[in-house]
């Protein structure tokens, strides 16, 4: 708030672990811009994450009686959906714009864009972030990342002037327990089965796309047909990946065998167990 009202252009990085509260800081900043009659934009690297931010923000605003309007803009929307979204942005019916790199396309015209936020900022090129900033004269810039990068290197890479670190997690957050296991599929099977039986979900992180289907088949065989196992990796199309992640979000998929594609901040609170192979 001090940065936003301090008479200078903010360029600040917020670094904090997954679940530390970066998103709520972004929402508060966007609301501050909206309350002053400006627009704010939040750019994220994947459509799944953009849709999730949009839905959770819409729900949050409705529950608190907040009247500012968020609008979603992504590449896979229909031509009509994109046109309606662009019109609401240009007419300033939209106070907060959430989307992927679709936000920086030439056709998108903002009205008084004063704040630009990029999430998982290492996933965007400097030029992409600059293109979004140029949509609004000289907007404030906030970048967020869960990836710890040394301060001097990060400032060189992202052009950020100031850096904040969220050191403490929200209250009542249970501590993370980490175990190292020699390859023992019976112990692994018991752990996954126990988590699934209590209603939880599991990410099984695999480091190679070419053998991921084989690993998924082995896990299916190990757990039995009653446990739903899906795969997610970078060779899937955006639509295929969205469908898979929707299945996880809805609770239909209990075990997701995936590559590091899931590290883009997707928030599924029911996934409490992460197994990393090798």
């Amino acid at each position: 708030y001090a940065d936003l009202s301090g008479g200078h252009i903010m360029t600040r990085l917020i670094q904090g672990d997954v679940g530390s509260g970066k998103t709520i800081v972004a929402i508060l900043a966007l609301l501050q811009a909206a309350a002053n009659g400006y627009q704010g934009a939040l750019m994220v690297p994947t459509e799944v994450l953009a849709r999730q931010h949009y839905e959770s923000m819409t729900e949050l605003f409705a529950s608190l009686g907040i009247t500012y309007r968020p609008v979603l803009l992504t590449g896979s929307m229909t031509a009509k959906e994109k046109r309606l979204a662009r019109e609401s942005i240009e007419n300033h019916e939209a106070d907060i714009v959430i989307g992927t790199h679709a936000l920086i396309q030439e056709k998108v015209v903002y009205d008084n864009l004063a704040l630009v936020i990029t999430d998982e900022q290492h996933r965007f090129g400097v030029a992409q972030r600059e293109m979004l900033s140029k949509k609004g004269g000289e907007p404030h810039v906030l970048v967020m990342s869960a990836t710890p990068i040394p301060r001097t290197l990060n400032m060189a890479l992202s052009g950020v002037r100031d850096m904040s670190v969220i050191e403490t997690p929200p209250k009542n957050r249970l501590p993370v327990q980490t175990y190292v296991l020699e390859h023992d599929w019976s112990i692994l099977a018991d752990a996954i089965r126990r988590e699934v039986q209590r209603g939880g979900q599991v990410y099984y992180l695999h480091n190679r796309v070419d053998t991921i289907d084989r690993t998924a088949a082995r896990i299916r065989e190990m757990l039995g047909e009653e446990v739903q196992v899906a795969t997610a990796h970078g060779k899937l199309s955006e639509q295929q990946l969205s469908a898979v992640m929707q299945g996880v979000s809805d609770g239909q998929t209990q075990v997701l065998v995936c590559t590091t594609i899931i590290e883009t901040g997707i928030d599924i609170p029911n996934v409490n167990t992460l197994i990393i192979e090798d």
Side-chain angles (χ1 to χ4, degrees), residues 223-255:
L223 298 174
E225 290 180 3
E226 66 276 5
V227 177
Q228 292 298 311
V229 180
T231 57
H233 50 79
K235 287 190 174 178
L236 297 181
S237 69
E238 193 74 58
Q239 284 81 3
Q240 287 172 318
L241 183 61
S242 291
V244 170
M245 293 314 300
Q246 197 61 53
V248 179
S249 188
D250 294 344
Q252 295 166 357
T253 297
Q254 287 134 325
V255 180

Side-chain angles (χ1 to χ4, degrees), residues 30 39-44 50-51 53-55 57-58 61 67-74 77 80-100 102-103 108-110:
L30 290 163
Q39 282 179 321
L42 171 62
M43 185 165 71
V44 299
R51 190 163 294 279
H53 276 320
Y54 170 72
E55 287 170 359
M57 214 179 287
T58 302
F61 289 3
T67 55
Y68 299 116
R69 186 183 164 204
V71 162
L72 178 68
L73 184 60
T74 68
M77 288 164 63
K80 184 182 178 183
E81 286 173 333
K82 287 179 189 169
R83 180 174 53 78
L84 291 172
R86 287 198 302 266
E87 283 174 5
S88 67
I89 295 166
E90 191 169 357
N91 300 336
H92 205 141
E93 290 165 18
D95 302 290
I96 295 168
V97 187
I98 303 159
T100 55
L103 299 187
V108 186
V109 178
Y110 294 85

Side-chain angles (χ1 to χ4, degrees), residues 35-264:
N36 282 276
Y38 295 101
Q39 282 179 321
L42 171 62
M43 185 165 71
V44 299
T46 67
E47 298 209 2
V48 176
L49 189 55
R51 190 163 294 279
Q52 188 174 55
H53 276 320
Y54 170 72
E55 287 170 359
S56 59
M57 214 179 287
T58 302
E59 201 177 298
L60 179 70
F61 289 3
S63 70
L64 296 172
I66 293 170
T67 55
Y68 299 116
R69 186 183 164 204
V71 162
L72 178 68
L73 184 60
T74 68
S76 71
M77 288 164 63
T78 65
K80 184 182 178 183
E81 286 173 333
K82 287 179 189 169
R83 180 174 53 78
L84 291 172
R86 287 198 302 266
E87 283 174 5
S88 67
I89 295 166
E90 191 169 357
N91 300 336
H92 205 141
E93 290 165 18
D95 302 290
I96 295 168
V97 187
I98 303 159
T100 55
H101 54 271
L103 299 187
I104 60 178
Q105 289 173 342
E106 210 172 304
K107 291 179 180 175
V108 186
V109 178
Y110 294 85
D111 178 58
N112 244 348
L113 181 64
L115 173 64
V116 167
I117 302 177
T118 50
D119 195 9
E120 298 296 335
Q121 59 93 14
H122 59 284
R123 299 290 295 265
F124 293 104
V126 172
Q128 285 178 312
R129 295 198 300 272
E130 282 179 355
M131 280 170 75
L132 183 55
S133 291
K134 284 174 183 170
K135 293 275 188 186
E138 293 184 299
H140 295 296
V141 175
L142 183 65
V143 294
M144 305 193 298
S145 183
T147 307
I149 305 169
R151 181 187 176 91
T152 47
L153 177 61
N154 184 76
M155 288 168 76
L157 289 174
S158 62
V160 165
R161 184 175 57 213
D162 300 307
M163 182 170 168
S164 305
V165 180
I166 301 177
E167 301 277 8
T168 53
K171 286 178 183 175
N172 307 322
R173 183 62 47 92
L174 293 171
V176 175
Q177 295 176 312
T178 305
Y179 304 94
V180 178
L181 176 70
E182 293 297 325
H183 266 105
D184 187 329
W185 283 87
S186 62
I187 293 177
L188 202 59
D190 286 344
I192 296 173
R193 214 174 278 118
R194 195 163 54 242
E195 181 63 15
V196 168
Q197 281 170 354
R198 67 159 206 90
Q201 291 163 282
V202 175
Y203 284 151
Y204 188 101
L205 195 61
H206 190 71
N207 59 6
R208 289 180 60 178
V209 175
D210 56 343
T211 57
I212 197 167
D213 288 333
R214 204 183 316 152
T215 301
R218 185 171 183 183
I219 291 170
R220 282 191 192 95
E221 190 182 330
M222 187 173 76
L223 298 174
E225 290 180 3
E226 66 276 5
V227 177
Q228 292 298 311
V229 180
T231 57
H233 50 79
K235 287 190 174 178
L236 297 181
S237 69
E238 193 74 58
Q239 284 81 3
Q240 287 172 318
L241 183 61
S242 291
V244 170
M245 293 314 300
Q246 197 61 53
V248 179
S249 188
D250 294 344
Q252 295 166 357
T253 297
Q254 287 134 325
V255 180
L256 182 69
V257 185
C258 51
T259 59
T260 53
I261 198 161
I262 53 104
E263 61 97 30
T264 52

